[in-house]
Amino acid sequence: MKRATPLLLCTLTLPFGSVNASQECARWGEFSTHASTKMTTLSAPSQNKLSVTGDLVFRPLLKDEKFYWLGLQLSSAELQLDNTPIQAQYYRVPFAVKIAATSGDILDYHFGAKLKPEDEQKLMAIYQQFHIEHLKQYDLQSPKIIQESDNLGRYRVQYQTLANNAIQKQKLDYTLTTQGTQLFAFKKPQIKQDLFTFKTSNCWISELQGYNNTVVESDKGDININVSQTIRYTQKQAPIPTDIALMSLPLAPAKWPILPLNSVYPKPRPVPLDNAKAFTQLLLQKDLQALSSDVLLQLLYDNQIYLSALHNLIKQGAFADKQLSRLLLMIGKSDFDYAHQLLADLYLDTELDANQRFRSLMALKYSEQPLSAELVDKLYSHIDSSELTAIDEKLARTALMVLGVIASNQTGSEFAQSLTESLADRLITTRDTKKQATLLTALGNSADPTHQESISKFLSNDDAKLRATAAQALGNMPNEISLGYLEKSLQRESNQQTQQALISAMGNNQLNETQVNKVLLFAQKQQDNTVRVAAINAAAKQIGHNQEVVDKLKPLLKQEGDQQVLRALMSAIHGNN
């Protein structure tokens, strides 16, 4: 059933009407899809039925000369598997689609929560069922056959305007198959039946309905999947409720707050053991290295109220070193309030071995749920103390960098915004160069471009190491503005370490031809070899969208004597071939 479920909502690619990027063009309607899947695997048949219903909300978002964004949300989504209601909160997450202004092609997706890849695919499939932006360039008064793609492969599809001005869409046949894994090779999908009609308005689709039946079979014949699916959408005339999240989100999807993970993937209530002693004794009896991650995470989740009891055991050395290392890691990955509290308390316990305190910080960096305000204050109270020992100073710098990672884990959330603001405030106010370097790294770890201007000021600092650190931080937030800072700084930079950092950071962006040529000036033989390697590697990152870079790198191979530079050139030119 797990293999079949993504197919149920990713098989079809249906139309979407042209849009006017204004609030007035927001629309909503009743959406439903019912899919029946018959699967035979190694002669063992199985069958399931999946239904998804809800109010599908559409809202035009940010519009630019080159692209525009469309927002969608399946509000009040309800799912049934074999007529039994199931929970799938991720279906209700708002998401946005980036469309090329000229071609109408899909460029990108943005989600209002950190979703599992397979769940992103299901939301993407909802949009694909309505995508018609690419059809604006065609006259559909007579039948028009074009090629499109879905998760199964590439296919031919015919569009035609009917007498009642509705548009008919019929998928004809697959021309190419997408092979999902190396384990299974599939034949071209067979379209048994496919016919959809839809009506459009000035803003969006007002009505859509249709049916598809597709069969997928492995080359060996040991897997056969037969999917039948109906889809229906009918626009509502009533006003869209204001409490639907999509309607109050910013027009720029990058500015959307990220929903808390536990609201998207809620867990069942924990089932703890009788007391803390029973929990700690069980942990001490187990081989924590041999225990599977799922089992250990469930044990920690169920008994999270007892986690504080581990503090003294760790202090007493009750766990062998490797056992403790695994335990701290999994406590970090369990990512709930009690786990955050324990890891922070271990870090703040100055009587503990420095290595254990460091491990606690390394575990805390997995946090994808917000830390409590009280906990953040406790961390900062220690980090900002003027009476730290040499060991505490090193750990405090690590703690700052970990806070940057945590902010990156929760990009777009109010918590992440608050955290990066606190880091940026400290960067502005401190005069300690070591702390400045740490805070630059922490902000780089956060990848939050909100503070790139503050970071860029350090590109002209008298300290070359600070300039290099600022460049590395800006390299973690690639965009046109940060690239401009880097490019301008490179023109005046003479320190080789900083040049290397600036060039590497530039390479994280998509460079135009002029910028590529500027980078390649630093790949010439008169430059330091470490700088040359950085320039070659930065140029190599551009090959995916600019094959001409290979031709510009090839002349450097002639009479190259340095092995490190030669290896970088060969890797850039030939890749993994």
Side-chain angles (χ1 to χ4, degrees), residues 346-359:
L346 291 172
Y347 157 64
L348 294 170
D349 188 343
T350 56
E351 295 180 1
L352 262 178
D353 179 77
N355 185 47
Q356 308 303 5
R357 296 170 67 193
F358 176 79
R359 284 179 176 178

Side-chain angles (χ1 to χ4, degrees), residues 237-300:
Q237 299 305 315
I240 302 174
T242 56
D243 60 352
I244 290 178
L246 178 65
M247 300 308 297
S248 58
L249 291 173
L251 290 176
K255 296 182 178 180
W256 285 7
I258 299 299
L259 292 170
L261 201 63
N262 56 9
S263 70
V264 180
Y265 298 109
K267 292 184 177 180
R269 282 176 170 271
V271 183
L273 296 171
D274 291 339
N275 50 55
K277 185 176 181 180
F279 169 60
T280 55
Q281 285 182 340
L282 180 61
L283 279 181
L284 290 168
Q285 293 167 5
K286 295 286 186 181
D287 181 352
L288 300 180
Q289 286 183 280
L291 212 58
S292 75
S293 296
D294 288 343
V295 171
L296 183 50
L297 284 171
Q298 186 64 48
L299 180 61
L300 293 170

Side-chain angles (χ1 to χ4, degrees), residues 441-487:
T441 301
L443 286 170
N445 289 347
S446 78
D448 183 356
T450 306
H451 308 290
Q452 58 191 0
E453 183 179 357
S454 298
I455 296 170
S456 71
K457 293 177 181 178
F458 285 84
L459 292 174
S460 56
N461 194 278
D462 292 338
D463 189 320
K465 289 185 177 179
L466 279 180
R467 297 199 300 273
T469 306
Q472 291 165 351
L474 291 173
N476 287 343
M477 44 192 76
N479 60 70
E480 290 184 7
I481 296 174
S482 65
L483 177 58
Y485 291 138
L486 295 166
E487 189 175 2

Side-chain angles (χ1 to χ4, degrees), residues 553-561 565-566 569-570 573-574:
L553 289 170
K554 284 180 178 179
L556 298 177
L557 282 172
K558 298 177 180 178
Q559 299 180 344
E560 180 56 59
V565 177
L566 188 60
L569 283 169
M570 294 297 288
I573 294 169
H574 300 290

Side-chain angles (χ1 to χ4, degrees), residues 404-422:
V405 174
I406 292 172
S408 176
N409 293 345
Q410 303 176 42
T411 298
S413 68
E414 293 181 6
F415 172 76
Q417 181 181 352
S418 173
L419 201 53
T420 58
E421 284 177 356
S422 66

Side-chain angles (χ1 to χ4, degrees), residues 380 383-384 400 420-433 435-437 439-440 443 454-455 457-458:
Y380 273 136
I383 290 168
D384 295 336
L400 284 172
T420 58
E421 284 177 356
S422 66
L423 293 169
D425 288 344
R426 283 167 171 78
L427 177 64
I428 295 170
T429 56
T430 186
R431 294 294 174 264
D432 184 314
T433 55
K435 195 167 185 179
Q436 286 173 333
L439 287 162
L440 286 169
L443 286 170
S454 298
I455 296 170
K457 293 177 181 178
F458 285 84

